[in-house]
């Protein structure tokens, strides 16, 4: 049995379960239910075929790496007017019934019509920094999801091994385009000339 939070023991306060009861059960939520829910929470929530998944709050290390990468990408594309990049939280619709919130997401200028205020319809490049709570989410599950959505490039950033892997879509699956551990550069396939210094990316977290 789950333990009762100390605040409940001390005050007798209970969560507002009635609010949760306003929504359909897991497995029965619609896209509009998900979009309404995420407008009213400050948590990162992803959605697959009627079910929501509330992701853990990111660590300082995670956010420092994300900030380094999104700033690097925005500096590169901004000087060349190549498109738009932003960091989570931001909903990306991969298909009807599936929304993800990549750590970094980029859309080419020519596809700007797919950029919406509430969510983007797909993306041209996404990056995920692996979280220790469930590495399989980024290494395997999202690799499949993003490939099925036809996203041309996927970066997997692994603080555990200090590795950055750049994946390029080949048909309906990803292949490794560039990879480096500890130091060296990784290169984008989609954005000619865009590179990231692996040591600098992980040095962004001064732990």
């Amino acid at each position: 049995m789950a333990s009762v939070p100390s605040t409940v023991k001390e005050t007798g306060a209970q969560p507002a379960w009635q609010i949760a009861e306003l929504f359909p059960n897991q497995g029965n939520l619609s896209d509009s239910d998900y979009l309404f829910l995420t407008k009213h929470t400050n948590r990162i929530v992803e959605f697959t075929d009627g079910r929501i998944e509330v992701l853990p709050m990111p660590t300082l290390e995670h956010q420092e790496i994300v900030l380094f990468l999104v700033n690097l990408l925005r500096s590169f594309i901004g000087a060349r007017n190549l498109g738009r990049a932003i960091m989570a939280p931001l909903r990306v619709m991969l298909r009807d019934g599936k929304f993800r919130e990549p750590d970094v997401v980029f859309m080419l200028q020519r596809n700007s019509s797919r950029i919406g205020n509430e969510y983007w319809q797909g993306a041209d490049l996404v990056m995920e920094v692996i979280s220790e709570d469930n590495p399989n989410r980024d290494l395997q599950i999202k690799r499949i999801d993003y490939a099925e959505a036809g996203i041309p490039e996927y970066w997997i950033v692994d603080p555990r091994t200090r590795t950055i892997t750049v994946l390029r879509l080949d048909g309906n699956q990803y292949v490794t385009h560039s990879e480096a551990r500890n130091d060296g550069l990784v290169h984008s396939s989609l954005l000619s000339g865009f590179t990231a210094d692996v040591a600098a990316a992980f040095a962004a977290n001064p732990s």
Side-chain angles (χ1 to χ4, degrees):
M1 177 180 291
S3 61
V4 178
S6 60
T7 53
V8 172
K9 293 178 181 177
E10 295 168 2
T11 67
Q14 293 287 335
W17 299 118
Q18 295 88 345
I19 299 298
E21 291 171 355
L22 297 175
F23 293 93
N25 291 331
Q26 281 278 50
N28 296 319
L29 279 83
S30 66
D31 288 12
S32 58
D33 291 329
Y34 163 75
L35 292 170
F36 178 84
L37 176 65
T38 53
K39 286 180 184 177
H40 298 84
T41 180
N42 61 356
R43 298 295 298 273
I44 295 178
V45 182
E46 297 185 325
F47 180 71
T48 300
D49 298 328
R51 302 181 66 87
I52 61 169
E53 181 182 6
V54 181
L55 302 188
M57 294 296 288
T59 63
L60 174 62
E61 175 188 34
H62 181 282
Q63 292 300 81
E64 291 284 11
I65 295 170
V66 170
L67 279 170
F68 173 85
L69 291 170
V70 75
N71 287 338
L72 186 70
L73 180 56
R74 285 170 69 97
S75 176
F76 181 86
I77 65 174
R80 297 163 179 80
N81 194 31
L82 295 177
R84 193 167 186 179
I86 199 163
M87 63 184 291
L90 175 75
R91 295 172 291 266
V92 175
M93 184 180 189
L94 303 184
R95 60 166 172 79
D96 289 342
K98 185 179 283 290
F99 289 79
R100 292 295 191 186
E101 296 207 27
D103 288 320
V104 178
V105 58
F106 166 75
M107 190 80 80
L108 288 165
Q109 186 65 37
R110 65 173 179 263
N111 295 326
S112 60
S113 62
R114 292 159 51 195
I115 295 175
N117 191 44
E118 287 194 356
Y119 60 88
W120 290 17
Q121 295 180 349
D124 290 307
L125 184 155
V126 293
M127 299 179 180
E128 296 283 8
V129 178
I130 290 178
S131 299
E132 291 187 0
D133 74 293
N134 185 4
N136 184 59
R137 183 191 298 118
D138 298 320
L139 290 170
Q140 297 184 34
I141 297 172
K142 288 190 177 182
R143 178 171 178 153
I144 295 171
D145 288 347
Y146 294 149
E148 289 180 344
I151 295 175
E153 187 162 303
Y154 176 29
W155 289 42
I156 300 177
V157 183
D158 193 341
R160 302 168 307 165
T161 60
R162 299 176 68 86
T163 301
I164 298 180
T165 304
V166 179
L167 301 173
R168 170 179 55 83
L169 192 63
D170 183 11
N172 60 0
Q173 61 184 358
Y174 286 117
V175 296
T176 300
H177 171 74
S178 179
E179 184 174 71
R181 177 177 295 186
N182 293 320
D183 55 20
L185 299 177
V186 288
H187 307 261
S188 172
S189 170
L190 179 72
L191 299 172
S192 179
F194 178 61
T195 64
D197 184 308
V198 174
F202 293 112
N205 173 48
S207 57

